[in-house]
Amino acid sequence: MADNKDTKGKAPANQTSESGSSPKPYSIGDKLTPKMAESLLENNPALKNEMAGLGKDKTAEALRKMDIADLLTGLAVGGKNQKDMASYKFWQTQPVPRFDETGSEPSATGGPIKMIDPEKVSKEPDALVEGFEWATLDLTNEVELQELWDLLTYHYVEDDNAMFRFRYSKAFLHWALMSPGWKKEWHVGVRATKSKKLVASICGVPTELRVRGQKIKVTEINFLCIHKKLRSKRLTPVLIKEITRRCYLNGIYQAIYTAGVVLPTPVSSCRYYHRPLDWLKLYEVGFSPLPHGSTKARQITKNHLPSNTSSPGLRPMELKDVDAVQDLLERYLRRFDMNQAFTKDEVKHWLVHRDNDEQEQVVWSYVVEDPETHKITDFFSFYSLASTVIQHPKHKDVCAAYLYYYATETAFQEDMKTLKDRLQMLMNDALILAKKARFDVFNALTLHDNPLFLEALKFGAGDGQLHFYLYNYRTAPIPGGVNEKNLPDEKQMGGVGVVML
C-alpha cells in the first residue's frame, strides 16, 4: 500500500525487494530517440541519476537495451539496482493497475480492482524472517513515540547525496498519525526479537476521498521506514502486506499513497517547486544553486519579501472558524477529480493550532474575514517539516514550510484572471507569514490551483516528482498540473485536490 520513496523534492535510493511472477518483457527497440529518452528520464528521477553524465546519445542507446518493465521501475543499466525489478514483481501481485493493461479501460468514474471477502482475510500476520517480530505501536506512550522518532530521524528519506534527511518532530507524528478515527493497529512496527529494538514501521490513518465524484473510504499510508542495516531482508513487501491485512480486517479495502519513483501505476504525477525565504542559508547548505551570471547579493534581493501582508481581514484561524472553513473547503475541493472529503472534526484536527498546546506548532492556518459581513472568504495553511543538514559545519537544519490546503470564494466566479490575482495575493501573504515564522524555504506541488501562482511568486522547479497511487482502485489518469515539458500548466489543473504529508 505504500512506498518509502516519497521524497518531497529529493530522490532517495530504492529499498524495496521481493520475488514474484515476472511480467512479459517489452523491448524498447530502435524507436527510442534521444529526445524521447530525455522525456522518459524526466519522469523517473532515480533512473535519471543513474545515467547522469552519459550524454543524450549514449543514454538513449542504454535505454534501448532495457525492457519496458525495467525502465519504468528505475532499473540501473549495470544491474546494481536489481531490487528495483523485484519491487516491480511484487507490485504485479497486488491489486493495482498494470503498466501494460489493454482492453480494460477504466470507466468514467472508476471502481475497485478486486472485491475483498473479509471472511477470507487472514486473522494472523505473515511470518517475518527469523530474529524479528511484529509490533503495534502505542503513540500515546512517550517511550514508543520516541522509538518511532528515532527510527525516522536516522533511517527515513534522505537525498541521493546524503546531504539532507527529514526530521519529523514528535508533535508532527502525533498530528499526522492521530487524526479523527485513527486506529492503533494501523501503526505497525517490526522489532528485533532479542533486543526489542524498533527496526521498521509502516503507518496509516483513515479518511475519505472523492474520486471523480465517487466517495470511498481509504487508508492514507505513510512512514514506511526500514533500518538501513536491514534493507536486504525484504521487509518492505511484508510490511505492505501486513498493513493491507489490518485495513481489510477493519473493512477498508482501498488506500492512497505517494512515491518519488514510478511504480505500477501512478494515477497522477505532480512536480515540486521551492520558494527561497532565506536564500543565503539555502545556498550555504547546498539546497539552492547560484545561477550562472548572478551574485549572492542579487539572489538575496530577488527573493526579498515585503514586511507586511496585503489581504484585508487576514488573521490566524481559530476554533470558531471551523464550520465556515469546512464549508468553503468542501466546495472548493469538489472542483478537483481526486480530493479529500473533510469532516468538521478533521478540519479542526488538521488546520487549527491551539496556542495553549504544549507541543511545538506544526500547522499554520489563516482566514480572511470580510470586515462588514464577517464571512470567511478565503483561507490558506502550511505545515512545518524540517530536514537535518548532515555534517554541515554551520547549519544543523533547513526549516521548510509546505503549502497545505487553501480555498477562496473567488474560485466560484468562473473568472480565471480574478482567481489568479486573488491567489497570487493570498500566497504572497503566506510566504510573508512563513518568513516571519523563521522558515527557510516554502515548498509546493503543482496540484490544486498552484500553477496559477508558482512562477509569478518566484518558486523554482525542484528535481523531485511526486507520484500519486490508489491501491485496489482503478480510474483514468488524473492531471497533475504539469504539461508534457513537466512545467506548470493552467490547462492541466483540476486533477489532484489531495495533499499528502
Side-chain angles (χ1 to χ4, degrees), residues 238-251:
V238 187
L239 282 165
I240 294 169
K241 289 178 183 178
E242 178 57 12
I243 190 74
T244 301
R245 186 189 70 84
R246 295 188 185 198
C247 290
Y248 283 176
L249 288 175
N250 279 274

Side-chain angles (χ1 to χ4, degrees), residues 348-401:
K348 180 179 176 181
H349 172 84
W350 291 117
L351 297 175
V352 181
H353 171 72
R354 297 162 184 77
D355 289 332
N356 59 351
D357 195 330
E358 294 181 358
Q359 293 185 320
E360 64 183 270
Q361 188 166 354
V362 176
V363 65
W364 280 252
S365 299
Y366 296 85
V367 297
V368 176
E369 180 180 353
D370 186 295
E372 295 182 2
T373 65
H374 299 292
K375 180 181 179 181
I376 301 302
T377 60
D378 316 81
F379 103 94
F380 59 77
S381 58
F382 51 86
Y383 64 85
S384 170
L385 176 52
S387 287
T388 299
V389 182
I390 302 171
Q391 295 182 333
H392 193 276
K394 182 177 179 181
H395 301 290
K396 301 300 182 185
D397 56 28
V398 169
C399 297

